[in-house]
């Protein structure tokens, strides 16, 4: 059952503890998504579609260019004051792009590459926006004295699931011939699996409580504060 996306004025200790447990194991789903669809897998996918070196470089730049959206994300969060909703919606929309990337193998080459580039930029851009909301939200949810413990436990899930998913992806691709129809299906399967895992993550996140943000502090507007 989906949880509410609205922030809460009060969070019980039981709700906080349940939220922190979900925060920890959610890392496994996010890690699996990244291992199956990014890094060397994305590069191999682009080359399989016939991408040029320039296109591969553009794809590699997407995560860094996407970080530029953190500045307007700060203004959005300050205005809406709904970090959970922003994080969940951006995650769902962004990771849905992985389904489009899975379908790209069945499109004409030029259209397929354009679909992958478009999807990657949407995914990374929305990831930067959602990440900005996510970091602020978790800072208020996890007690200061437990931040190190919580995030070290998240790291355990990340380092346990990520390498395993990456090795599985490498094994699958190694079992298919380069340029073959079987490899088309292999990449489609990897990106659909990554999409499914990525969409489980926001489902888990909806069941974590969000403390209501404190009232805005009197002072410069959000834009003026960023420009200072």
């Amino acid at each position: 059952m989906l949880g509410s996306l609205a922030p809460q004025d009060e969070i019980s200790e039981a709700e906080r503890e349940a939220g922190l447990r979900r925060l920890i194991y959610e890392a496994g789903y996010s890690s699996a998504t990244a291992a199956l669809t990014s890094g060397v897998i994305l590069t191999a996918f682009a080359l399989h579609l016939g991408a040029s070196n320039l296109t591969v470089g553009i794809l590699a730049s997407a995560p860094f260019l996407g970080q530029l959206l953190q500045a307007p994300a700060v203004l959005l969060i300050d205005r809406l004051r709904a970090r959970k909703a922003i994080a969940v919606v951006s995650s769902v929309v962004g990771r849905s792009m992985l389904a489009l990337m899975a379908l790209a193998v069945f499109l004409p080459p030029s259209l397929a590459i354009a679909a992958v580039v478009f999807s990657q930029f949407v995914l990374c851009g929305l990831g930067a926006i959602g990440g900005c909301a996510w970091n602020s939200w978790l800072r208020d949810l996890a007690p200061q004295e437990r931040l190190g413990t919580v995030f070290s436990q998240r790291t355990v899930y990340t380092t346990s699931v990520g390498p395993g998913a990456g090795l599985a992806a490498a094994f699958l691709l190694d079992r298919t011939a380069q340029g073959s129809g079987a490899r088309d299906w292999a990449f489609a399967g990897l990106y659909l699996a990554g999409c499914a895992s990525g969409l489980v993550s926001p489902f888990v996140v909806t069941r974590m409580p969000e403390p209501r943000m404190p009232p805005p502090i009197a002072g410069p507007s959000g834009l003026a504060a960023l420009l200072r």
Side-chain angles (χ1 to χ4, degrees), residues 16 19-20 22-24 26-27 83-84 87 130-144 146-147 150-151 154 205 208-211:
R16 187 181 302 275
L20 292 177
R22 294 184 178 108
L23 165 63
I24 291 167
E26 179 278 333
R83 298 167 294 184
K84 181 177 179 179
C132 192
W134 171 259
N135 291 333
S136 172
W137 168 20
L138 298 190
R139 172 61 184 81
D140 288 347
L141 178 63
Q144 175 73 28
R146 293 179 59 190
L147 281 174
V150 168
F151 282 93
R154 272 181 64 88
V205 167
M208 293 167 51
E210 178 200 356

Side-chain angles (χ1 to χ4, degrees), residues 94-216:
R95 290 173 176 175
S96 294
M97 293 295 103
L98 295 172
L100 177 58
M101 295 171 81
L103 296 175
V105 295
F106 306 112
L107 299 175
S110 59
L111 188 57
I113 293 171
V116 169
V117 171
F118 170 79
S119 299
Q120 176 72 352
F121 272 87
V122 172
L123 174 64
C124 293
L126 290 177
I129 293 172
C132 192
W134 171 259
N135 291 333
S136 172
W137 168 20
L138 298 190
R139 172 61 184 81
D140 288 347
L141 178 63
Q144 175 73 28
E145 66 276 9
R146 293 179 59 190
L147 281 174
T149 300
V150 168
F151 282 93
S152 66
Q153 290 174 329
R154 272 181 64 88
T155 301
V156 170
Y157 274 80
T158 299
T159 54
S160 298
V161 175
L167 286 173
F171 178 79
L172 176 62
L173 294 176
D174 192 55
R175 301 290 293 179
T176 59
Q178 186 173 353
S180 66
R183 183 158 290 190
D184 284 344
W185 285 101
F187 275 118
L190 288 176
Y191 277 82
L192 285 176
C195 179
S197 177
L199 292 178
V200 170
S201 172
F203 171 78
V204 173
V205 167
T206 60
R207 303 179 65 196
M208 293 167 51
E210 178 200 356
R212 189 176 299 279
M213 293 177 66

Side-chain angles (χ1 to χ4, degrees), residues 29 49 56 88 114 126 137 151:
Y29 296 105
L49 295 176
V56 172
V88 169
L126 290 177
W137 168 20
F151 282 93

